[in-house]
């Protein structure tokens, strides 16, 4: 990677600043400069006027009042809006509409009041009635020319109801786009400008106000690109739009002209920090080509703000572009960036943008927003076990930071033209105060279809410029945008939501946000599981400071050679462990649990070292390594808690004069045999469970990955687990593994690996004359994902690529069989092919690698042989190109099979089989069940009742709906299957430890010595 591409140093402070610190900084930055009572005085009349003259029925405010997102109807509307228009087949469209409208029970009460008998819950008439009435309700609201007399809809079939609903949603959606094409949008903008000009001139009675103060920033809608084809389509659409906006003219100033907003994620499918080199090689020239159109026309081109983990990267891209702008268009002042104030480091971002402007002698436009991805940022931080949130958790902190950022922008007016995007009347009035003091040019911004009422009032003076962010696109592209707006503004904390609610007084609505709240509004990610069990610590690989120790550990790691034990060695280990059992099993439960917690903390602290071992010994990518170490830590902490909760002595009820106690204790020596694909997590999970239950443990790692396992056992010994309680027994499965299983002292076996080896172990155990002992076997799967036509293709592709190809497909949970509905199969396959083409296959130590090598030569040969067979018998759908000569790389590949039953064996590699389905989804599930495995199943549908039905029918251990199907989290998604996939109980679940225990009840006749003193004493 060239030095200009590789970020040597972060530009910004850590994204994980303590919230209290960040809000204190924001309050200090405001330096008491705001007079809030004056803000209220300014904004109150706006609020009153908006409430007295409400927005039209289709405006966001009205919509939310009519159908709040918290209500069944609002939710149904939102879910339908998101999905219905993309469904091509009537059957699914009807099912989706019935599912959503049916559950909303719009007018049950009304029907009863009208004297209609209540319909049975599952009656098809009820569904139809609901559908009809709901569609009518919707069409009344959204079809302005709806003149159908009541009752007509009920008589029409469900197809008509769906068609009406589709139409209603189309009309609803249309309110939030300015036009379906840029030409249509430009026409609409012209007429809005004229209208605005007329109004303001009338109101201000001033001839000087004849110039319209309204501008537009057009946004060409679409989901983030998943393929190169998508990206090139968006590029063409942006280019065309800029040319159309310019109209062959050169604007006097970008501040006074319309402009464009672009999303970098639309222009390159791999706009990610891990892909810096490609971002600079591919994305940069694309944005440059747009600048080459916008700059000569003197238009504003703003880069929208996206997720926090791309922020550093976006600034690097921004500065690289600034350098070329300085060289080519030094006079242009239209280059812009959006900055989100919900980020705790937003002030630093603004300073950095100003510094970039100064370094390159330019002036930028900067749009200050609060931020549109709050829920996603919170979820990501929790899932990744990050130390804190990169965004504020209190709404008023976001508001404070917004104003602090506004004040900071006014400090930088020499190099920044401030643009304030908000619909919040309080925020607007506060900005006006700051602007008056600063006496500098600025503009306000709002979204098309939103904030119209407030801005009608704010702009009455006619002297404040306002830019409308105007989405442009067809219905299908609009819906994701619409749903985001509905969600964002449907939140109770949202200003728009509260403005629509007459019960919220102006005082509450405009209350000062200028107060710091010390505690976070949400538990921080480390405390996600409550006060008792700490979440394992994750790493944000996009954060240089957090990643540095990992990079250093990987660079320094040399995996030592280790020698294997013989069968005799295994027997000697068994003897030691057998002898050690007596002492270990009587160690108090609390002590055994405490040792697990200690080892968890040590492992957590040693994450870089263990990641480096996993990269070097198991050829895993860094992201996978972090997840694996975290899983091991979670196992230790979870089983410690579970042991204390579930294995403690229980007193049982019984007759008087007798005490009855149930005790659980270790069984003896447990043999734990783990696989190479999770050489730390599965190894640690098995060993921790067996140990804490009171067993001593012979822990046999896979032949390919002994060192990381040995290091974990060393940690156990270091924290105080005796050497005769757990032993690392490294050797061949055929000899050492077989000897351990066959040993008469073995009191139980916990195995994860192939179904074939599980059968051998099972037979060996059955053949022994010694005690019959438990076998916990977790084996493979022929895991399927069922996709119907209501699913969002982009989401499906993300889930498929991760599930089928991450870890080179070497996960038991990995997706092997994608079943796509025939009505959308071509499109999904096309997108899949494009997304596969964007994967990097290579050295796992390279951060940019998505797919590393397979584990060994034997695996490589086996997978290649399977691929060869498929090349002859199935249709090749897509294959990633290999550009690295790292050994044992298998390029991700996808084939189409005629039918589900054609998939016979689990191929443990990046090979995906695709089948098209039609007809009843229940039949698809039955065919999947008939494969005999039962580990994981993915479901992609927007029809909730369908997802539920599939889960009920499927004989699998883990069902994942509308997400990927890998990466089960300890205590959250207990993992393990049925049928050929394993015996259960689930690892990381509440029933796991019992299988490692023997049970004993102790009954004492307390009345034996002379009578029942207790009973008599109570008489
Ligand atoms: C012209 C324009 C362009 C925009 N461009 C972008 C863009 O490029 N990128 C982008 O991300 N967004 C963008 N947005 C959306 C914007 O970020 C806001 O989400 C939206 O404007 C709502 O803010 P508000 O001041 O109008 O409403 P308010 O209701 O006052 O504020 C809502 C804000 O508070 C945040 N919030 C809600 N609950 C909490 C909580 N518990 N703790 C902390 N914060 C909370 C929300 O996430 C949201 O950001 C744009 C908005 C406009 C008007």
């Amino acid at each position: 990677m060239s030095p200009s591409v590789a970020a040597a140093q972060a530009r910004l402070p850590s994204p994980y600043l303590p919230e209290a610190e960040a809000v204190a900084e924001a309050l200090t930055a405001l330096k008491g400069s705001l007079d809030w009572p004056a803000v209220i005085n300014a904004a109150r009349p706006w609020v009153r006027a908006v409430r007295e003259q409400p927005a039209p029925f289709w405006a966001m405010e009205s919509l939310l009042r009519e159908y709040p997102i918290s209500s069944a109807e609002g939710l149904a509307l939102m879910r339908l809006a998101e999905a219905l228009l993309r469904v091509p087949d009537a059957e699914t469209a009807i099912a989706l509409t019935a599912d959503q409208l049916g559950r909303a029970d719009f007018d049950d009460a009304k029907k009863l009041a009208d004297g209609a008998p209540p319909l049975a819950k599952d009656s098809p008439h009820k569904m139809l009635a609901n559908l009809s009435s709901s569609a009518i309700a919707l069409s009344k609201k959204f079809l302005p020319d709806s003149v159908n007399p009541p009752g007509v809809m009920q008589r029409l079939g469900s197809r008509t109801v769906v068609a009406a609903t589709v139409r209603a949603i189309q009309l609803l959606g249309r309110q939030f786009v300015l036009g379906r094409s840029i030409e249509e949008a430009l026409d609409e903008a012209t007429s809005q400008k004229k209208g605005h000009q007329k109004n303001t001139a009338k109101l201000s009675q001033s001839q000087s106000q004849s110039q319209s103060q309204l501008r537009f920033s057009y946004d060409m809608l679409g989901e983030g690109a998943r393929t190169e084809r998508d990206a090139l389509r968006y590029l063409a659409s942006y280019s065309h739009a800029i040319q159309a906006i310019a109209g062959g003219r050169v604007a006097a100033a970008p501040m006074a002209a319309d402009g464009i907003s672009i999303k970098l994620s639309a222009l390159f499918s791999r706009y990610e920090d891990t892909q810096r080199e490609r971002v600079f090689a591919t994305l940069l020239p694309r944005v440059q080509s747009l600048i080459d159109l916008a700059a000569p026309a003197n238009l504003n081109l703003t880069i929208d703000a996206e997720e926090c983990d791309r922020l550093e990267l976006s600034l690097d891209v921004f500065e690289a572009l600034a350098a070329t702008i300085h060289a080519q268009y030094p006079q242009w002042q239209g280059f812009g960036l959006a900055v989100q104030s919900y980020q705790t480091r937003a002030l630093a971002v603004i300073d950095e943008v100003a510094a970039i402007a100064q370094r390159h002698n330019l002036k930028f436009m900067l749009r200050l927003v609060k931020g549109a991805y709050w829920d996603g940022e919170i979820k990501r931080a929790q899932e990744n076990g990050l130390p804190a949130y990169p965004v504020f958790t209190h709404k008023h902190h976001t508001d404070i930071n917004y104003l602090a950022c506004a004040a900071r922008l006014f400090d930088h007016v020499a190099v920044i033209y401030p643009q304030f995007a908000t619909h919040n009347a309080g925020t607007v009035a506060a900005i006006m105060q700051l602007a008056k003091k600063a006496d500098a040019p600025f503009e306000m911004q709002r979204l098309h279809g939103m904030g119209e009422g407030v801005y009608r009032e704010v702009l009455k003076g006619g002297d404040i410029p306002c830019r409308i962010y105007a989405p442009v696109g067809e219905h299908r592209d609009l819906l994701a945008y619409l749903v985001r707006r509905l969600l964002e503004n449907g939140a109770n904390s949202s200003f728009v939501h509260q403005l629509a609610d007459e019960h919220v007084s102006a005082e509450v609505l405009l209350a000062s946000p200028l107060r710091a709240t010390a505690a976070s509004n949400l538990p921080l990610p480390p405390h996600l599981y409550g006060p008792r069990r700490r979440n394992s610590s994750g790493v944000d690989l996009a954060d240089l400071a957090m990643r540095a120790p990992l990079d250093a550990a990987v660079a320094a790691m040399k995996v030592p050679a280790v020698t294997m034990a013989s069968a005799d060695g295994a027997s000697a280990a068994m003897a030691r462990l057998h002898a050690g059992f007596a002492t270990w099993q009587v160690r108090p439960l609390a002590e055994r649990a405490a040792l697990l917690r200690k080892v968890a903390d040590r492992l957590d602290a040693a994450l870089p070292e263990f990641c480096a071992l996993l990269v070097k010994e198991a050829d895993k990518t860094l992201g996978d390594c972090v997840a694996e170490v975290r899983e091991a830590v979670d196992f230790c902490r979870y089983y410690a808690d579970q042991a204390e909760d579930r294995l403690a002595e229980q007193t049982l009820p019984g007759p008087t004069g007798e005490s009855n106690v149930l005790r659980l204790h270790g069984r003896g020596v447990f043999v734990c045999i783990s696989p190479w694909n999770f050489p730390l997590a599965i190894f640690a999970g098995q060993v921790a469970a067996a140990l804490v239950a009171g067993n001593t443990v012979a822990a046999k790692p896979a032949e390919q990955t002994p060192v990381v396992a040995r290091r974990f056992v060393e940690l156990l010994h270091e924290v105080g687990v005796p050497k005769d309680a757990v032993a690392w027994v490294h050797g061949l499965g055929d000899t050492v593994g077989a000897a351990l299983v066959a040993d008469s002292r073995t009191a139980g076996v916990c195995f994860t690996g192939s179904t074939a080896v599980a059968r051998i172990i099972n037979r060996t155990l059955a053949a022994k004359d010694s005690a019959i002992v438990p076998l916990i076997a977790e084996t493979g799967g022929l895991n399927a994902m069922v996709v119907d036509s209501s699913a969002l293709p982009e989401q499906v592709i993300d889930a498929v690529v991760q599930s089928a190809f991450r870890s080179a497909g070497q996960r038991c949970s990995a997706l092997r069989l994608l079943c796509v509905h025939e009505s959308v199969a071509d499109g999904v396959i096309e997108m899949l092919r494009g997304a596969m083409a964007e994967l990097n296959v290579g050295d796992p130590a390279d951060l940019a690698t998505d797919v590393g090598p397979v584990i060994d030569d034997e695996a490589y040969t086996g997978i290649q042989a399977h691929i060869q067979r498929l090349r002859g018998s199935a249709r090749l759908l897509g294959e990633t190109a290999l550009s690295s000569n790292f050994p044992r790389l298998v390029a991700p590949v996808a084939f189409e099979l005629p039918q589900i039953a054609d998939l016979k064996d689990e191929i443990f590699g990046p090979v995906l089989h695709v089948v098209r389905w039609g007809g009843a989804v229940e039949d698809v599930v039955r065919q999947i069940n008939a494969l005999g495995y039962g580990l994981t199943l993915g479901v992609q549908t927007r029809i909730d009742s369908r997802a539920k039905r599939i889960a009920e029918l499927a004989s699998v251990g883990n069902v994942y709906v509308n997400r990927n199907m890998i990466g089960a989290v300890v205590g959250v998604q207990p993992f393990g299957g049925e049928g050929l996939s394993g015996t259960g109980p689930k690892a990381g679940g509440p029933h796991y430890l019992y299988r490692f225990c023997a049970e004993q009840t102790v009954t004492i006749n307390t009345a034996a010595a002379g009578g029942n003193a207790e009973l008599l004493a109570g008489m």
Side-chain angles (χ1 to χ4, degrees):
M1 199 180 279
S2 71
S4 64
V5 170
Q9 221 183 334
R11 292 168 180 272
L12 303 172
S14 162
Y16 307 109
L17 295 175
E19 180 166 359
E21 231 172 71
V23 75
E25 191 195 342
L27 283 169
T28 309
L30 277 169
K31 295 182 226 102
S33 55
L34 281 168
D35 172 359
W36 204 265
V39 167
I40 297 177
N41 282 342
R44 195 189 283 117
W46 301 339
V47 170
R48 196 182 309 125
V50 172
R51 285 183 166 171
E52 279 168 6
Q53 196 187 332
F57 73 88
W58 44 260
M60 181 69 76
E61 293 89 330
S62 322
L63 194 66
L64 289 167
R65 190 173 42 226
E66 200 68 28
Y67 298 114
I69 300 294
S70 53
S71 73
E73 293 78 7
L75 205 59
L77 185 64
M78 187 177 78
R79 306 279 303 269
L80 280 170
E82 191 271 338
L84 187 58
L85 301 194
R86 67 168 168 262
V87 176
D89 61 305
E91 192 199 341
T92 308
I94 292 167
L96 175 68
T97 314
D99 187 62
Q100 291 303 330
L101 296 187
R103 81 184 52 226
D105 277 353
F106 278 81
D107 54 358
D108 250 6
K110 186 179 158 297
K111 270 199 256 82
L112 286 176
D114 292 347
L119 293 160
K121 193 114 192 90
D122 51 356
S123 150
H125 300 296
K126 171 176 164 131
M127 200 176 75
L128 200 65
N130 266 332
L131 265 171
S132 311
S133 56
S134 306
I136 286 172
L138 280 170
S139 55
K140 265 189 190 156
K141 281 286 161 209
F142 305 119
L143 295 170
D145 58 352
S146 172
V147 287
N148 293 332
V152 164
M153 291 292 279
Q154 279 94 332
R155 292 202 300 275
L156 299 174
S158 51
R159 277 170 195 256
T160 315
V161 173
V162 170
T165 312
V166 165
R167 182 89 185 108
I169 286 170
Q170 281 176 342
L171 283 172
L172 163 64
R174 198 178 283 177
Q175 309 310 322
F176 297 91
V177 285
L178 201 60
R180 282 167 296 186
S181 65
I182 187 72
E183 287 76 16
E184 214 177 272
L186 286 167
D187 284 350
E188 176 61 28
T190 306
S191 72
Q192 287 198 13
K193 280 180 195 170
K194 279 190 191 139
H196 178 74
Q197 201 171 333
K198 233 190 265 163
N199 285 343
T200 46
K202 220 186 303 164
L203 283 164
S204 64
Q205 308 277 306
S206 149
Q207 290 310 307
S208 65
Q209 291 304 329
S210 57
Q211 183 74 17
S212 170
Q213 294 288 64
L214 218 53
R215 297 110 181 66
F216 287 80
S217 186
Y218 300 93
D219 164 38
M220 308 310 289
L221 284 169
E223 284 287 304
R226 297 304 194 278
T227 66
E228 187 63 358
R229 209 169 120 159
D230 288 346
L232 293 175
R233 188 162 45 83
Y234 289 128
L235 178 65
S237 152
Y238 283 144
S239 304
H240 172 71
I242 296 172
Q243 285 164 307
I245 298 162
R249 295 175 298 272
V250 178
M255 297 82 197
D258 288 355
I260 190 153
S261 294
I262 62 168
K263 284 197 175 50
L264 297 188
S265 63
L267 289 169
F268 183 45
S269 64
R270 300 303 307 268
Y271 171 49
E272 298 160 30
D273 188 74
T274 58
Q275 308 296 319
R276 280 179 164 262
E277 198 159 354
R278 294 174 64 192
V279 165
F280 277 75
T282 308
L283 175 61
L284 213 65
R286 288 182 186 164
V287 187
Q288 185 63 50
S289 75
L290 298 177
I291 288 172
D292 291 339
L293 295 172
N298 213 13
L299 301 181
N300 173 204
L301 182 148
T302 293
I303 297 178
D304 279 351
E306 300 188 63
E307 292 83 355
C308 296
D309 56 357
R310 310 185 202 213
L311 179 57
E312 284 273 355
L313 178 63
S314 71
L315 289 175
D316 291 347
V317 169
F318 191 77
E319 176 142 27
L321 292 165
T324 62
I325 291 168
H326 170 72
Q328 295 170 8
Y329 311 106
Q331 305 304 321
W332 185 45
Q333 299 191 348
F335 192 40
L337 186 71
V339 172
Q340 299 153 324
S341 77
Y342 66 13
Q343 290 209 40
T344 51
R345 53 184 176 162
L347 280 168
V349 181
I350 287 172
D351 290 342
E352 178 60 16
V353 175
I356 295 173
Q358 277 152 357
R359 280 200 284 277
H360 299 279
N361 204 14
L362 293 170
K363 185 166 179 180
F364 298 134
M365 298 171 89
L366 192 149
R367 178 204 301 148
L368 185 63
V369 303
K370 291 183 184 169
Y373 308 92
W374 186 80
D375 49 337
E377 298 293 356
I378 296 287
K379 186 169 187 208
R380 190 180 67 91
Q382 290 187 348
E383 283 177 345
N384 293 344
L386 297 173
Y389 297 109
V391 293
F392 290 101
T393 66
H394 291 279
K395 161 75 167 68
H396 65 281
H397 288 176
T398 293
D399 292 341
I400 295 171
N401 208 35
Y402 190 89
L403 297 172
C405 288
R408 187 65 58 85
L409 285 175
F410 283 123
D411 291 342
H412 290 305
V413 285
V415 289
I416 289 177
Y417 173 71
Q419 302 170 299
F420 300 107
T422 174
H423 310 111
N424 183 322
T427 310
V428 174
I431 298 282
M432 297 302 162
Q433 239 185 55
L434 294 172
K436 203 165 173 190
K437 275 190 212 148
D439 193 22
F442 72 99
E443 70 182 35
M444 299 305 297
Q445 296 195 347
R446 70 170 177 85
L447 298 176
H448 171 64
M450 286 184 56
E452 269 161 83
V454 168
Y455 277 95
R456 184 188 64 220
E457 302 304 313
V458 172
L459 302 182
K460 269 182 178 162
D463 52 348
I464 300 165
C466 179
R467 192 179 298 269
I468 299 177
Y469 183 99
V472 179
E474 297 285 347
H475 293 123
R476 190 201 171 288
D477 289 333
L478 156 73
L479 297 170
Y481 168 86
L482 171 64
V483 166
R484 180 122 293 277
R485 297 280 88 84
L486 280 168
L487 253 184
E488 177 182 293
N489 294 291
N492 285 337
S493 63
S494 145
F495 180 85
V496 170
H497 180 95
Q498 296 192 1
L499 182 64
D501 183 352
E502 304 270 343
H503 302 295
V504 179
S505 68
E507 281 58 42
V508 170
L509 192 61
L510 299 170
S512 167
L514 303 173
R515 70 206 137 82
T517 305
S520 168
N521 201 20
L522 294 167
L524 293 180
H527 309 303
L528 183 61
Y529 304 123
R532 186 161 166 219
R533 178 161 72 92
R534 197 179 165 84
N535 190 4
S536 52
S537 314
V539 177
D540 176 354
L541 291 175
D543 185 64
L544 278 181
M546 285 183 100
R547 201 175 74 216
L550 265 77
D551 290 340
V554 173
M557 178 56 68
K558 301 254 176 307
V559 181
V562 288
T563 45
M564 286 194 180
S566 61
D568 285 350
S571 176
M574 287 301 286
R576 277 200 311 280
L577 294 163
H578 189 64
F581 175 61
T583 333
W584 178 250
Q585 75 148 334
V586 294
R587 280 286 278 273
L589 185 55
E591 280 184 27
R592 298 199 302 260
L595 286 169
L596 282 199
R597 292 193 182 103
K598 252 194 205 168
V599 89
D601 292 349
R602 293 285 284 269
L603 190 55
D604 206 53
L607 180 133
E609 178 201 344
F610 276 88
C611 283
L613 262 176
L614 288 165
V615 170
K616 290 291 172 80
E617 188 182 37
D619 281 335
K620 300 192 84 160
T621 57
L622 259 189
D624 284 350
C625 294
V626 173
E628 173 150 13
V629 177
R630 294 191 60 212
E631 188 178 356
V633 170
D634 286 338
F635 269 134
C636 294
R637 290 187 178 141
Y638 179 77
Y639 290 142
D641 289 358
Q642 289 294 312
E644 286 180 340
D645 291 349
R646 294 173 189 276
L647 307 187
E649 207 170 90
Q650 290 176 49
T651 302
L652 304 174
T656 184
E658 185 175 285
S659 85
N660 289 286
V661 169
L662 176 68
R663 289 180 181 157
L664 290 103
H665 60 85
R667 304 185 73 96
V669 188
F670 237 86
V671 172
C672 293
I673 302 177
S674 53
W676 49 261
N677 63 339
F678 285 90
L680 175 65
I682 294 181
F683 181 87
Q686 292 180 347
V687 170
L691 273 178
V692 81
N695 304 282
T696 56
V697 184
K700 192 196 110 43
E703 289 95 318
Q704 297 89 336
T705 51
V707 177
V708 68
R710 185 178 68 174
R711 188 70 197 101
F712 178 72
V713 172
E714 282 168 7
L715 274 195
L716 284 169
H717 292 156
E718 283 167 27
V719 300
V721 177
K723 292 209 162 139
D724 59 3
V726 56
W728 170 79
V729 189
H730 168 43
L732 294 175
D734 302 356
T735 52
V736 169
L740 291 174
V741 173
D743 196 293
S744 61
R745 290 160 293 198
T746 295
V749 177
C750 182
F751 168 78
T752 302
S754 69
T755 310
V757 174
R759 284 202 184 103
I760 296 172
I761 293 173
N762 196 25
R763 286 192 199 108
T764 309
L765 291 176
K768 288 203 287 188
D769 285 333
S770 49
I772 296 170
V773 300
L775 165 63
I776 304 166
E778 215 183 292
T779 55
L782 286 182
N783 310 307
M785 182 185 285
V786 180
V787 178
D788 78 5
S789 60
S790 68
L792 180 68
E794 286 82 358
Q795 202 176 70
V796 171
I797 294 307
D798 290 348
V800 168
V801 168
Q802 287 175 28
S803 306
F805 305 128
R806 209 170 138 185
S807 312
Q810 300 172 114
R811 293 174 181 248
C812 349
S813 54
L815 170 64
R816 311 290 176 203
L817 177 67
L818 175 64
C819 306
V820 194
H821 192 265
E822 57 196 8
S823 67
V824 291
D826 288 340
V828 168
I829 289 169
E830 182 62 41
M831 202 184 281
L832 173 65
R833 185 181 300 127
M836 287 172 70
E838 297 300 313
L839 291 172
N840 296 336
V841 188
D843 179 354
D846 182 348
L847 193 64
T849 294
D850 301 301
V851 180
V854 296
I855 188 69
D856 57 20
D857 291 341
E858 193 186 332
Y860 178 83
T861 315
I863 298 166
Q864 290 296 8
H866 179 78
I867 293 173
Q868 271 322 107
R869 267 197 310 279
L870 284 170
R871 283 191 202 283
S873 60
R875 187 162 85 94
L876 178 69
L877 298 179
E879 188 168 12
T880 306
L882 275 188
S883 56
S884 158
N885 52 10
F886 197 87
R888 290 177 277 105
L889 293 179
V890 177
V893 61
F895 290 95
E896 182 168 348
L897 299 180
Q899 52 178 0
I900 291 171
D902 292 339
L903 185 63
K904 304 281 183 217
D905 305 308
E906 182 191 32
I907 300 302
F908 220 60
V911 184
L912 178 67
H913 309 83
V914 181
V915 171
R916 294 168 198 251
W917 66 273
V921 74
E922 287 81 358
D923 287 342
V924 179
V925 181
R926 279 185 204 110
Q927 290 173 55
I928 293 168
N929 284 345
L931 296 172
Y933 289 85
L935 194 50
T936 61
L937 176 75
V939 181
Q940 298 274 346
T941 177
R942 291 295 190 263
I943 305 172
D944 296 346
S945 56
R946 179 173 282 180
K948 207 167 149 227
R949 175 99 183 105
I950 292 174
E952 278 164 8
L953 280 178
S955 309
V956 297
N958 291 59
V959 180
Y960 298 96
V961 181
N962 293 334
R963 51 155 283 177
N964 70 34
M965 45 196 277
I966 54 170
V969 177
V970 173
V972 179
Q973 295 113 11
F975 186 73
E978 55 185 81
L980 295 174
S981 295
T983 59
K986 282 170 169 294
H991 308 126
Y992 196 56
L993 293 185
Y994 294 129
R995 193 67 69 87
F996 290 85
C997 296
E999 296 177 274
Q1000 183 182 54
T1001 51
V1002 179
T1003 300
I1004 300 173
N1005 177 6
T1006 52
N1012 189 346
E1014 224 175 82
L1015 183 64
L1016 291 169
M1019 297 307 288

